[in-house]
Amino acid sequence: MPGLFYSPDRVWQVVAYLRSLAQRETPKGDAAHGAALFASRGCAGCHRVAGQGGRSGPDLTQIGSSRSVRHLREAMTNPDADVRQRYWVVTARGEDGRPVNGFLMNEDTYTVQLFDDVGNLRSLSKPGLRDYAVAKKSKMPSFAKLPAAELDNLVAYLGSLRRPGGVR
Ligand code: HEC
C-alpha cells in the first residue's frame, strides 16, 4: 500500500480493533454501576474519561471501541500481561543521585525520552545517569481481587465508552 504510513502505535490500535471485532462479546454487567465503581475504586485517579480524571494511565474515553471484553477484563485482573511501550516504566538516577521516573517515550544508545511522573516530556543523556532500568510492567495495580460482579460492571462500563457514531 504505497503512501500509507502508520506509526507502530497506530498499527497496533488498528490490529487491536480488528481483533476486537472478531471477538465481540456482550458484557453481562451493569454499566451504570460500573461508572460509579470507576470513581469509587480509584480508576478515575489515573484514567481520564471525557476530560475528567488523572493522567498516569491511558485516556479511556473511547476504550470500548477498540478493545474486546476479554482485553478489558484482563487489563484489570492482570495488568502486566499486555503493556504498550508507551507505558513501560523507566527508573533512572541522575549524576546528582536524584531519581527520575516515568513512562518510556523513546530511547537510543545515548539518550532516553520519557514522560516523568507529572507528565512532562524529558530527555536524558544515558552516559550521565547513575542508574537506568526499563520495566515492561504496568503501573496499574491488579484488581483481580474485586468481587466478580464488580468486575463485570466495570467491564460493562468500559465497553460502553465508545466513539460517537462508531461501529457497535
Ligand atoms: C495507579 C494508576 C492506575 C489505576 C488506579 C488504574 N489504572 Fe488502569 N492503567 C494504568 C496504566 C499506567 C495503564 C497502562 C499500562 C497497562 O496497559 O497496564 C492502564 C491500563 C488500563 C487499561 C487498558 C487500556 C488499553 O489501552 O488497553 C484499562 C481498560 C484500565 N487500565 C482500566 C482501569 C480500571 C477499570 C481501573 C479501576 C478498577 C484502573 N484502570 C485503575 C494505571 C492505572
Side-chain angles (χ1 to χ4, degrees):
M1 282 188 285
L4 246 191
F5 293 103
Y6 282 147
S7 69
D9 214 38
R10 187 82 192 127
V11 169
W12 196 88
Q13 282 172 5
V14 171
V15 169
Y17 176 63
L18 293 176
R19 238 193 252 151
S20 79
L21 285 183
Q23 299 170 346
R24 188 122 295 174
E25 182 194 329
T26 317
K28 54 178 181 265
D30 179 306
H33 283 150
L37 289 166
F38 193 81
S40 67
R41 290 298 187 184
C43 319
C46 289
H47 292 286
R48 253 163 314 141
V49 172
Q52 299 280 322
R55 288 174 183 273
S56 20
D59 187 317
L60 300 180
T61 306
Q62 299 183 344
I63 194 73
S65 292
S66 58
R67 301 284 190 257
S68 68
V69 165
R70 178 143 53 96
H71 175 99
L72 294 173
R73 184 176 300 273
E74 190 180 67
M76 288 187 284
T77 55
N78 187 8
D80 288 339
D82 181 11
V83 181
R84 273 188 277 159
Q85 180 184 318
R86 164 70 180 77
Y87 292 99
W88 291 355
V89 179
V90 176
T91 45
R93 227 148 42 95
E95 250 163 14
D96 57 3
R98 265 200 278 164
V100 189
N101 301 322
F103 292 121
L104 181 66
M105 169 75 192
N106 200 11
E107 69 173 332
D108 58 30
T109 313
Y110 300 108
T111 65
V112 53
Q113 287 79 44
L114 54 87
F115 287 106
D116 70 12
D117 287 344
V118 288
N120 293 322
L121 181 59
R122 299 184 56 171
S123 186
L124 309 174
S125 154
K126 283 184 179 172
L129 296 174
R130 260 198 225 170
D131 296 319
Y132 175 68
V134 177
K136 298 177 186 179
K137 287 192 155 201
S138 182
K139 275 234 169 184
M140 175 164 157
S142 169
F143 288 88
K145 295 218 169 80
L146 284 186
E150 290 199 10
L151 284 172
D152 285 346
N153 292 345
L154 282 163
V155 169
Y157 170 61
L158 295 172
S160 75
L161 300 175
R162 291 179 168 273
R163 203 178 299 123
V167 186
R168 288 239 111 211

